[in-house]
Amino acid sequence: MTRAKMLINAKDFDQIRVATINEQGLLEQIDFESLDENNCLGNIYKATITAIEPSLQATFVDYGCNRHGFLPFNEIHYSYHDEKKANEPVVEKLKVGQEILVQVAREEIGLKGAYLTTLISIPGRYLVLMPYSKKSGISRKIKDVSDRQSLRKVLNQVSSPENMGYIIRTAGLGKTKEQIQRDLNVLLSTWNEIITRFESSKSPTLLYLEDNLVNRTIRDYFNEETREILVDDKRAYEEISRYFKKVMPRYAHMVKHYRGKTPIFSKYKLEEQVEKIFTSKIKLPSGGSIVIEQTEALVVIDVNSGKTSEGNLELTALKTNLEAAEEAARQLRLRDLGGLIVIDFIDLRDRKNVYEVEKKFREQIKTDKARTAVTPLSRFGILEMSRQRINTSKDIKHYVDCQVCGGSGRVKTMQTQALDLLRRVKTAAANHRVRRVQVTCSDDLGIHMLNDRRHELMDLEKKHGCQIFIQTKVDHRQDPIIKVEKGTLEEKEKMEIPPPLSLSSVTASMSEEAINEARDYKEEKLKNIEEMTFENLRGQDIPAPKGLSPFDRFNFSIRVILMKKHGLYENRTEEFKSALREKVVGISNDEEDGELLDDDINLETDIDEGIENTEGDLVSSEAESIALEEESVEGDYDALDEEFIDDDLVDPQDEDMDPDEDIDGLEDDATPQDEELVKPHE
């Protein structure tokens, strides 16, 4: 890929922008850096271990920045281990408070601290020096066999320390032995100075500062294919010229000062291309498009077809996929997207076309400085790849999540917002001491509440006896803020008290129809009984049915007592409901002059009146006498007990109930007072 020009915009305000464009004027590389931005990527620090976490297989290191850095065990060079304890695990070889030399491999992102390493690497123009490595080699980006052999010869002629390693970069291709040796000498001098400062400085201290954006871009992206370097700021132009004359005097003539009145990025129509970096949808020349979505787990790129002149569907999909492959590789570089990446191409039937799309994409990522790994296209048209994270994604670096939607890109409808606000206001006003509820919200929501939800607000004010105020703010884009003012006791005493009710005032407020209405409440009561559950029945006053014999009524009352106290006889729920229905239906026939008939003796309520609710349920003599004076109970205690257990407490139709087991449990739960309650008079 030919890069025609490198444009450096250092004149505008406090931000430097460096862009590389090809011969067609298409943006190939772009980076930004603010002058007040604290960029620590690549910096080398003297740091101190503050914590060792065996569960994470890592340590936390104080290196002088906002948050402590994260240093995994596998990134710690063996020279920091105690050689006398070779058989011990790493966690026992390190100590809290130990001073080490670290380099920032990945910057802080959000709440995550920087990713650190002790495997130092110092990049130069043609080489990358690795002081703690004993191996030297050639960059993997150089794949041609003849090029690698020629570089290997140069490598063997370069003089270097035995205990240090280095890698020849792609920029070193075609360079002479003298050029490589010169770059190596500068790197060795830099490393020696770092070690000297490490031994004489306190921790934490910054020992090595990575080059600024301009020097980094020239070092990493300048090559023989670059025809021209244009700089719009005179001071930056002079600095870059001095750098080229010292490091690369052969190319110093390429650096030029741009003096045009039109901004340099506008001159080459780059502003629109830069803005497209931050949009999710990118249009393709044939009419299709790609959509890029960045998530926590991965980056997804979806390829969509559009209108095209091709008549064949397969050819249309092939053309769109080829354009998408080129644009996707370019966008990955421009946006600094890393990690796991999934590209969903349009399905192709011909296997030859599938190989062509895959080949096109692999060719486009060859010039990428980041390490990549690509899998073949699957039968579903999915291509998976991983890309090294060299820098923080531009989207994360230059954008923050929306305060309204939280970064999701979607907000609630006005109807949903209004309902949520009404629920919050209702909850806030539910306290009887609340005097005033004040809501601060956006103007759109406020107008909707005052116009479309006015009656609901008035009902809440009347029900809870408070005032509700809606305050709108034009710039308010967050969730509504609710403030509650509670009244004091003095204010409560000063509140207006309505006049007391009287029979005449209530009569005057009622209509003639309401006064003369003869309403029957039986249907309403019967409906409530049908809706009762077993737990509801345990709280009801259930009398014994009238049609039963005195002995059966006695046993029914015993069942009611056990049902209420112990939750027994759930299978007789309908029987209990039937007794309640009989009470409602027959209440008018059984009342005479306000007195109940003699048969309306309710053993359960009568006994409860004589029970004092203390630590043990003490039964008074009065309650005991009621239980003992049942005239119809004859025979001795044994006969009653036998008939009581066999015929009544155990339902012969209930196949799941074990009589012995149930009665044993009943005896365990019963108190001595309960035994006296069911024992007949001897």
Side-chain angles (χ1 to χ4, degrees):
M1 187 183 299
T2 302
R3 292 185 174 90
K5 294 182 180 180
M6 184 178 291
L7 309 178
I8 300 176
N9 174 219
K11 190 175 182 180
D12 292 341
F13 312 106
D14 59 349
Q15 187 184 59
I16 297 176
R17 297 187 296 175
V18 180
T20 305
I21 60 175
N22 59 19
E23 293 178 345
Q24 290 77 33
L26 196 63
L27 186 65
E28 292 293 341
Q29 183 65 35
I30 182 71
D31 209 345
F32 316 90
E33 186 175 278
S34 299
L35 299 179
D36 56 350
E37 184 179 348
N38 185 19
N39 184 22
C40 62
L41 183 64
N43 293 351
I44 299 176
Y45 297 86
K46 181 178 182 179
T48 304
I49 296 177
T50 57
I52 302 174
E53 296 293 341
S55 59
L56 299 176
Q57 290 291 295
T59 64
F60 288 94
V61 177
D62 179 14
Y63 66 105
C65 287
N66 298 331
R67 295 182 180 84
H68 288 188
F70 182 78
L71 178 63
F73 287 164
N74 58 3
E75 293 288 345
I76 300 178
H77 191 257
Y78 67 86
S79 61
Y80 291 102
H81 304 167
D82 191 348
E83 296 181 358
K84 297 180 181 179
K85 303 177 180 179
N87 296 327
E88 294 183 3
V90 177
V91 65
E92 297 182 8
K93 297 177 182 179
L94 302 174
K95 298 178 181 179
V96 174
Q98 182 178 350
E99 295 180 344
I100 55 176
L101 190 67
V102 298
Q103 186 175 28
V104 178
R106 194 182 304 159
E107 292 180 292
E108 297 179 359
I109 301 178
L111 300 177
K112 296 181 180 179
Y115 187 91
L116 307 178
T117 181
T118 62
L119 307 177
I120 307 298
S121 61
I122 306 175
R125 180 72 186 94
Y126 307 122
L127 300 173
V128 176
L129 180 66
M130 298 179 295
Y132 290 123
S133 176
K134 297 181 180 180
K135 297 181 180 180
S136 298
I138 301 171
S139 173
R140 296 177 183 176
K141 295 287 184 180
I142 303 175
K143 298 186 181 296
D144 188 83
V145 178
S146 59
D147 290 340
R148 295 183 70 87
Q149 289 177 351
S150 62
L151 284 175
R152 182 67 62 183
K153 294 178 181 179
V154 175
L155 219 111
N156 295 333
Q157 297 174 0
V158 172
S159 174
S160 62
E162 294 183 0
N163 59 345
M164 292 188 186
Y166 56 88
I167 296 176
I168 297 183
R169 310 179 67 182
T170 53
L173 187 63
K175 298 298 180 289
T176 63
K177 168 196 167 184
E178 289 74 17
Q179 289 175 307
I180 300 294
Q181 186 67 57
R182 182 179 179 180
D183 196 35
L184 178 60
N185 292 339
V186 173
L187 294 175
L188 290 174
S189 178
T190 303
W191 172 246
N192 292 331
E193 184 64 25
I194 290 173
I195 293 300
T196 302
R197 295 190 180 188
F198 176 81
E199 295 173 352
S200 61
S201 302
K202 64 179 182 178
S203 177
T205 302
L206 174 62
L207 303 178
Y208 172 80
L209 181 65
E210 178 69 306
D211 283 337
N212 58 34
L213 176 62
V214 176
N215 292 343
R216 288 200 311 271
T217 305
I218 293 173
R219 180 191 69 197
D220 296 337
Y221 296 101
F222 176 81
N223 53 36
E224 288 78 1
E225 295 177 352
T226 303
R227 298 182 179 180
E228 193 175 30
I229 299 176
L230 296 179
V231 188
D232 63 355
D233 184 65
K234 185 176 182 180
R235 184 177 177 181
Y237 161 74
E238 294 174 352
E239 181 181 347
I240 295 171
S241 296
R242 287 195 298 269
Y243 176 82
F244 265 85
K245 290 177 182 178
K246 184 176 181 180
V247 179
M248 296 176 288
R250 180 181 173 183
Y251 305 104
H253 67 280
M254 294 185 179
V255 182
K256 298 178 183 179
H257 184 207
Y258 175 78
R259 295 183 174 85
K261 294 183 179 180
T262 306
I264 187 170
F265 272 41
S266 300
K267 171 75 174 177
Y268 291 92
K269 300 179 180 179
L270 295 183
E271 295 294 353
E272 293 182 1
Q273 297 187 53
V274 172
E275 285 299 321
K276 288 182 180 179
I277 295 175
F278 303 105
T279 60
S280 61
K281 188 173 183 179
I282 307 295
K283 292 184 178 180
L284 301 176
S286 64
S289 63
I290 61 173
V291 179
I292 303 174
E293 292 292 341
Q294 185 175 4
T295 66
E296 288 286 336
L298 48 80
V299 176
V300 181
I301 302 178
D302 183 37
V303 181
N304 299 317
S305 61
K307 295 181 180 179
T308 180
S309 58
E310 303 292 340
N312 187 290
L313 183 62
E314 181 77 4
L315 293 178
T316 300
L318 175 62
K319 184 176 181 180
T320 305
N321 282 343
L322 291 175
E323 293 176 353
E326 183 177 354
E327 185 64 28
R330 174 171 165 266
Q331 289 296 327
L332 292 178
R333 293 193 303 270
L334 294 176
R335 301 176 186 231
D336 289 323
L337 297 176
L340 183 62
I341 301 167
V342 176
I343 305 177
D344 182 13
F345 287 101
I346 302 173
D347 293 340
L348 295 170
R349 295 182 179 180
D350 193 343
R351 197 63 191 169
K352 181 181 177 181
N353 295 335
V354 174
Y355 290 142
E356 188 176 349
V357 173
E358 184 181 329
K359 180 182 177 181
K360 179 71 172 180
F361 183 76
R362 292 181 184 273
E363 288 176 354
Q364 293 299 317
I365 62 173
K366 279 184 179 179
T367 57
D368 198 339
K369 294 292 182 182
R371 293 193 301 271
T372 58
V374 183
T375 63
L377 266 169
S378 70
R379 63 191 183 96
F380 301 109
I382 302 296
L383 185 142
E384 299 175 7
M385 67 170 293
S386 64
R387 184 176 184 272
Q388 178 190 9
R389 282 192 176 96
I390 297 179
N391 298 311
T392 306
S393 169
K394 288 185 175 65
D395 189 49
I396 297 175
K397 197 172 183 180
H398 297 279
Y399 279 73
V400 296
D401 289 341
C402 173
Q403 295 180 351
V404 179
C405 67
S408 66
R410 299 172 17 168
V411 295
K412 295 179 180 178
T413 62
M414 190 61 63
Q415 187 76 7
T416 304
Q417 292 184 55
L419 290 173
D420 290 345
L421 181 56
L422 283 173
R423 293 188 185 101
R424 292 179 60 189
V425 171
K426 181 180 179 180
T427 302
N431 192 324
H432 66 280
R433 291 185 58 191
V434 171
R435 184 186 63 179
R436 171 188 174 116
V437 178
Q438 181 170 324
V439 180
T440 303
C441 59
S442 64
D443 52 348
D444 296 336
L445 180 57
I447 293 173
H448 177 80
M449 294 295 295
L450 294 175
N451 288 337
D452 299 340
R453 297 290 180 175
R454 185 190 318 150
H455 297 295
E456 287 89 338
L457 293 175
M458 293 173 64
D459 291 342
L460 288 175
E461 287 181 331
K462 292 179 181 178
K463 182 177 179 180
H464 299 286
C466 63
Q467 294 177 324
I468 300 175
F469 287 83
I470 304 294
Q471 181 180 1
T472 63
K473 284 188 177 181
V474 177
D475 57 345
H476 188 88
R477 289 293 177 263
Q478 299 177 354
D479 289 337
I481 301 173
I482 296 179
K483 293 183 179 180
V484 176
E485 294 183 12
K486 295 185 178 181
T488 60
L489 292 177
E490 291 116 10
E491 291 175 342
K492 191 174 181 181
E493 291 177 358
K494 295 179 181 178
M495 291 176 63
E496 295 183 2
I497 301 176
L501 293 174
S502 64
L503 188 59
S504 58
S505 63
V506 174
T507 305
S509 63
M510 294 177 64
S511 63
E512 192 69 23
E513 293 79 6
I515 295 176
N516 297 326
E517 182 183 8
R519 187 175 178 183
D520 186 6
Y521 294 94
K522 286 184 181 180
E523 295 296 331
E524 185 177 347
K525 292 179 179 180
L526 290 174
K527 183 179 178 182
N528 293 336
I529 292 173
E530 293 298 329
E531 295 174 353
M532 285 184 183
T533 63
F534 181 72
E535 292 300 324
N536 299 140
L537 288 172
R538 294 182 66 182
Q540 297 294 320
D541 182 15
I542 305 176
K546 301 291 187 300
L548 299 179
S549 65
F551 181 80
D552 291 336
R553 293 183 62 205
F554 174 82
N555 285 338
F556 182 89
S557 300
I558 294 297
R559 285 197 295 272
V560 171
I561 294 173
L562 296 177
M563 181 268 287
K564 286 191 172 186
K565 289 191 175 183
H566 304 291
L568 301 177
Y569 303 112
E570 188 172 356
N571 60 338
R572 294 179 177 268
T573 301
E574 191 59 36
E575 182 182 345
F576 297 139
K577 285 187 178 182
S578 178
L580 281 177
R581 283 193 291 267
E582 182 179 328
K583 176 184 176 182
V584 173
V585 174
I587 190 170
S588 59
N589 300 328
D590 294 339
E591 287 183 0
E592 290 183 5
D593 299 331
E595 295 181 2
L596 290 175
L597 298 177
D598 293 339
D599 289 340
D600 281 340
I601 298 175
N602 191 331
L603 179 61
E604 186 252 336
T605 54
D606 293 340
I607 291 176
D608 282 346
E609 290 177 0
I611 295 177
E612 182 178 356
N613 189 14
T614 59
E615 294 182 358
D617 294 340
L618 300 179
V619 182
S620 69
S621 58
E622 189 174 310
E624 185 178 358
S625 64
I626 295 175
L628 298 178
E629 286 178 3
E630 285 290 336
E631 298 176 358
S632 58
V633 179
E634 297 177 356
D636 57 5
Y637 173 78
D638 295 334
L640 173 62
D641 188 73
E642 181 180 356
E643 185 175 358
F644 180 76
I645 293 174
D646 293 341
D647 298 339
D648 209 355
L649 285 180
V650 181
D651 191 345
Q653 297 178 358
D654 192 352
E655 298 177 359
D656 297 332
M657 183 177 290
D658 185 354
D660 296 333
E661 181 181 353
D662 245 39
I663 295 304
D664 291 342
L666 180 60
E667 291 174 354
D668 292 339
D669 293 337
T671 62
Q673 289 81 359
D674 292 332
E675 294 178 3
E676 294 179 6
L677 193 64
V678 297
K679 186 180 296 183
H681 190 273
E682 296 181 359

